[in-house]
Amino acid sequence: MTDATPEHDDRNALSWFFTGMRGLLSLPALILLTSIVGFSAFALESGLTRAEAVFMSLAIWALPAQVILVGSMASGANIAACFLAVTLSSIRMMPMVASVIPEMRTRRTPIWLLLILSHFIAITSWVFAITTLRNVPREYRAIYFAGFGVTLTLTGTLVVGVFYDIVSGFPPTVAGVLFFLTPVYFNASIWASARQPVVKIAFVMGVILGPTLALVTPQFDVLCAGVGGGTAAYLIDRARRKKTRLGQEARR
């Protein structure tokens, strides 16, 4: 990511915060909020209370991790398996944080602020950041991202609380479609944001192994599919890169 901002910008920090807030009206944010309605239905059907669903959304703020946690709990997995599955799912956030935080940091940016902002980095906010931060003066990037990330998180949490009871009155077909938006959004976002072949290979391995292992080991299907699929994807990509390198050397 490079700095391509105007040399002169008269807007102050508060103005940039509100500019970031307007990102809530972007298509990815609206799709996410609609998907969160589906999560509300999932949480309700899984037996979570409204308070538990709201707390989970605010504390975790990663829709796939929330779905994995609720799904693991509903399948009867023990707390260690749930913890490990959610942890492995959330490891993918580390590269996102590592790629975005340096773009917001200045010599005067306090570490505690960056640590707080890292909580709001998930797929939607990461895509928003990498596509728009370059247009913001560096000294205002943190407050700009805070405007988007904090607003999106609080709005998503509010959606969970408001729609928790409402979804119970939806026809089964509508509730099913809303819930189906959650994996559709997750899959589409991961595939669209993938920049390396190994990510897409891992994605395909997960799609294949997930349903299969759900029949074989329902309590550890997510964990086994994640570790097994990720390892297989790494080995396949390593063999692919080695074959490509040998082919290039042979042509020299």
Side-chain angles (χ1 to χ4, degrees), residues 148-165:
F148 177 76
V150 173
T151 303
L152 182 63
T153 302
L154 293 180
T155 303
T157 303
L158 179 63
V159 167
V160 172
V162 170
F163 281 88
Y164 180 83
D165 285 332

Side-chain angles (χ1 to χ4, degrees), residues 4 25 34 39 56 156 185 195 203 222 249:
L25 302 178
T34 305
F39 171 74
M56 183 181 295
Y185 167 78
R195 295 293 181 267
F203 180 90
V222 175
E249 293 176 353

Side-chain angles (χ1 to χ4, degrees), residues 24 43 53-54 64 75 79 84 88 105 118-119 132 145 172 176-177 201-202 207:
L24 187 68
V54 168
S75 66
I79 188 171
L84 189 56
L88 292 175
R105 185 176 186 178
S118 67
H119 172 71
T132 63
F145 179 80
V177 169
I201 295 173
V207 169

Side-chain angles (χ1 to χ4, degrees), residues 118-140:
S118 67
H119 172 71
F120 303 102
I121 297 178
I123 294 177
T124 302
S125 55
W126 177 75
V127 173
F128 177 84
I130 64 173
T131 55
T132 63
L133 280 183
R134 63 172 62 94
N135 301 318
V136 180
R138 178 172 287 272
E139 63 269 26
Y140 295 126

Side-chain angles (χ1 to χ4, degrees), residues 214-242:
L215 300 176
V216 179
T217 57
Q219 293 187 345
F220 297 95
D221 53 334
V222 175
L223 176 60
C224 294
V227 175
T231 302
Y234 168 76
L235 295 175
I236 292 172
D237 184 68
R238 183 177 179 179
R240 180 193 65 82
R241 288 187 284 110
K242 182 178 180 181

Side-chain angles (χ1 to χ4, degrees), residues 20-169:
M21 288 181 62
R22 288 201 293 270
L24 187 68
L25 302 178
S26 63
L27 182 59
L30 294 176
I31 293 175
L32 174 61
L33 294 177
T34 305
S35 301
I36 290 175
V37 176
F39 171 74
S40 299
F42 185 38
L44 177 65
E45 292 298 324
S46 299
L48 267 69
T49 66
R50 185 202 304 270
E52 290 170 339
V54 168
F55 177 78
M56 183 181 295
S57 297
L58 188 61
I60 298 177
W61 190 241
L63 193 55
Q66 295 170 217
V67 173
I68 288 173
L69 178 56
V70 176
S72 299
M73 293 167 57
S75 66
N78 58 52
I79 188 171
C82 293
F83 175 82
L84 189 56
V86 173
T87 299
L88 292 175
S89 167
S90 300
I91 287 176
R92 63 194 169 83
M93 304 296 182
M94 293 179 62
M96 297 181 186
V97 173
S99 64
V100 171
I101 290 297
E103 298 299 327
M104 295 189 288
R105 185 176 186 178
T106 66
R107 293 181 178 179
R108 294 182 296 177
T109 306
I111 298 298
W112 62 264
L113 177 60
L114 296 176
L115 290 174
I116 292 175
L117 292 180
S118 67
H119 172 71
F120 303 102
I121 297 178
I123 294 177
T124 302
S125 55
W126 177 75
V127 173
F128 177 84
I130 64 173
T131 55
T132 63
L133 280 183
R134 63 172 62 94
N135 301 318
V136 180
R138 178 172 287 272
E139 63 269 26
Y140 295 126
R141 288 180 180 180
I143 193 68
Y144 169 79
F145 179 80
F148 177 76
V150 173
T151 303
L152 182 63
T153 302
L154 293 180
T155 303
T157 303
L158 179 63
V159 167
V160 172
V162 170
F163 281 88
Y164 180 83
D165 285 332
I166 297 177
V167 293
S168 63

